[in-house]
Amino acid sequence: MRYAAITGWGMSVPERVLTNADLEKMVDTSDEWILSRTGIRERRMVGPDDSTTSLSVAAATQALERSGITASDLDLIVVATCTPDQFLVSEACLVQAELGGTAAAFDLGAACAGFVYALSTATQFIQAGLYDRVLVIGADTLTRFVDYSDRSTCILFGDGAGAVVLEATNEPRGTLSTVLGAHGEGYKHLYIPGWGAFVPESAGIFPEYRPFLQMNGREVFRFAVTAMGDAAVEAVERAGLEFGDIDMLIPHQANLRIIDAAARRLDLSMDKVWVNLDKYGNTSAASIPIALFEAEQAGKIKDGDNLVFVAFGGGLAWAASVIRWGGVPKHSDQPHVSETPVDEAVATAIGAERSS
Ligand code: ACO
């Protein structure tokens, strides 16, 4: 049996920080409202010279270094994104242009669920025996599509990229189970009208028009709580595991209340859930690989641990996987980021909500 172990991991976020205090000056909101409704304190935002490509390349470079292979060793690059820098060509080819090599390269769109969809897709190529080494990137720059006069959306999103290298192994490592699904009829609850090839004449859109993300927050929230919980539970069952076998939940970082609901469904205490949305907000397809990277850097994941990745997003789509951690780094001189434990105040807030 072939498996696809995660042997390299990396992340990148832009330098520019947008805090809740900054947003208080832009729209009618407050740090207290944002923190209590979402768990977000600040987020990162691309500057004029940043791009989905530059963030992806930085994250991928770290992941490749960690795995000890080079871009020319790769068989395939898959980029999960809903904000590619161009539609023609793919984001994956733009990344390859910087990294080098001649691997197959394509993009995959499943919004915030994109990274888990891409991980599953890449794993199939390895399990089928077609490829041995695949780079999977989750990257988005949604702040370029956020209307900073709309308080219901502008507080949520940040930019970033995360990457993993998958390598074929006979050891049971990497993806043990996957659950994917979508409710296409709900697409208008979260989308960017006018961001694509078809724009109806009735929209009266001018060439310089910049489309904005539109969202029905309550509907998305309701969908997310059910979809995340159901998908996570099903993924654990499909892997043949019990809830007690799960060492860490690494969820899509959209809203702390949604994350808490998913953790409850798996009967996990919050010390087994990696939360970093207080620092980055919702980075869409990048959020799970960024969280994975930070959890590993903080020493919270060890060889043989069972992880659950679970995500939801525009589509409306959902995805969950059980991952068995492995892939010992072959290099010791890896890039290092500081340890980032779960924000104490946020953890306390969740504890209070649970006991009430
Ligand atoms: N500051 C202050 N007040 C606000 C803000 C704000 N930033 N935003 C909304 N409000 C107000 C509303 O106007 C409303 O006022 P009203 O009662 O007078 O009408 C009140 O707060 C409550 O609004 P709700 O929308 O019911 O607030 P809710 O508790 O649902 O929180 C939120 C809103 C945070 C958006 C929540 O619904 C949510 O997180 N939904 C999921 C969104 C999400 O995760 N989207 C990303 C999906 S991933 C992807 O694919 C990109």
Side-chain angles (χ1 to χ4, degrees):
M1 175 85 184
R2 282 167 64 94
Y3 293 88
I6 296 176
T7 62
W9 46 95
M11 66 164 274
S12 175
V13 288
E15 282 180 16
R16 187 171 165 196
V17 178
L18 186 70
T19 65
N20 290 353
D22 294 328
L23 286 164
E24 282 176 350
K25 294 176 200 139
M26 297 159 74
V27 288
D28 181 14
T29 191
S30 66
D31 174 54
E32 191 280 329
W33 193 97
I34 301 171
L35 194 57
S36 63
R37 299 289 180 121
T38 69
I40 301 168
R41 290 177 188 278
E42 60 186 40
R43 61 293 284 145
R44 300 299 182 95
M45 199 177 178
V46 280
D49 296 329
D50 300 317
S51 65
T52 301
T53 308
S54 66
L55 296 172
S56 297
V57 168
T61 301
Q62 289 178 21
L64 287 167
E65 282 178 14
R66 206 164 247 99
S67 70
I69 66 169
T70 66
S72 57
D73 297 319
L74 291 170
D75 301 310
L76 171 66
I77 300 171
V78 186
V79 181
T81 185
C82 57
T83 51
D85 289 332
Q86 300 177 18
F87 279 126
L88 182 67
V89 297
S90 71
E91 187 57 53
C93 283
L94 294 176
V95 168
Q96 189 184 58
E98 300 287 327
L99 294 178
T102 55
F106 66 86
D107 292 355
L108 186 153
C112 299
F115 177 76
V116 182
Y117 263 77
L119 191 65
S120 163
T121 304
T123 297
Q124 310 304 311
F125 279 104
I126 288 178
Q127 288 186 326
L130 193 60
Y131 294 142
D132 289 329
R133 288 165 165 168
V134 182
L135 173 66
V136 179
I137 299 171
D140 270 309
T141 50
L142 268 173
T143 67
R144 293 212 200 276
F145 296 92
V146 166
D147 177 356
Y148 283 94
S149 66
D150 174 7
R151 68 177 183 176
S152 68
T153 55
C154 73
I155 59 162
L156 297 174
F157 298 100
D159 302 321
V164 296
V165 171
L166 303 182
E167 291 187 75
T169 175
N170 292 321
E171 296 293 316
R173 292 290 189 272
T175 300
L176 302 183
S177 69
T178 298
V179 175
L180 306 176
H183 278 315
E185 74 273 17
Y187 83 92
K188 280 196 175 171
H189 294 316
L190 175 55
Y191 74 135
I192 304 177
W195 171 227
F198 174 69
V199 180
E201 243 182 75
S202 58
I205 289 171
F206 299 105
E208 67 272 20
Y209 169 78
R210 185 75 178 170
F212 288 132
L213 181 148
Q214 290 182 10
M215 185 182 74
N216 179 339
R218 282 179 207 181
E219 283 299 329
V220 175
F221 188 95
R222 211 181 335 244
F223 156 77
V225 166
T226 305
M228 291 261 282
D230 288 354
V233 167
E234 195 179 338
V236 173
E237 287 170 358
R238 281 194 194 182
L241 299 177
E242 309 283 338
F243 294 166
D245 298 324
I246 302 306
D247 299 290
M248 179 71 75
L249 173 64
I250 301 191
H252 173 47
Q253 310 280 320
N255 184 311
L256 194 53
R257 293 182 287 149
I258 296 171
I259 292 173
D260 185 51
R264 286 175 194 233
R265 288 288 301 278
L266 292 179
D267 205 17
L268 286 179
S269 56
M270 285 304 281
D271 62 328
K272 289 190 167 188
V273 183
W274 192 260
V275 177
N276 62 4
L277 87 170
D278 51 314
K279 294 187 300 181
Y280 304 125
N282 179 347
T283 56
S284 189
S287 84
I288 287 182
I290 288 176
L292 172 71
F293 179 91
E294 292 201 332
E296 195 281 335
Q297 287 285 292
K300 299 289 182 185
I301 305 174
K302 60 184 187 310
D303 190 36
D305 275 0
N306 295 313
L307 317 178
V308 173
F309 295 169
V310 62
F312 72 96
L316 297 167
W318 63 86
S321 281
V322 172
I323 308 293
R324 181 154 304 151
W325 191 247
V328 177
K330 296 181 186 71
H331 286 187
S332 56
D333 55 342
Q334 300 303 327
H336 183 76
V337 297
S338 59
E339 195 170 298
T340 50
V342 177
D343 185 289
E344 294 274 325
V346 171
T348 309
I350 266 294
E353 194 173 304
R354 279 185 169 190
S355 57
S356 63

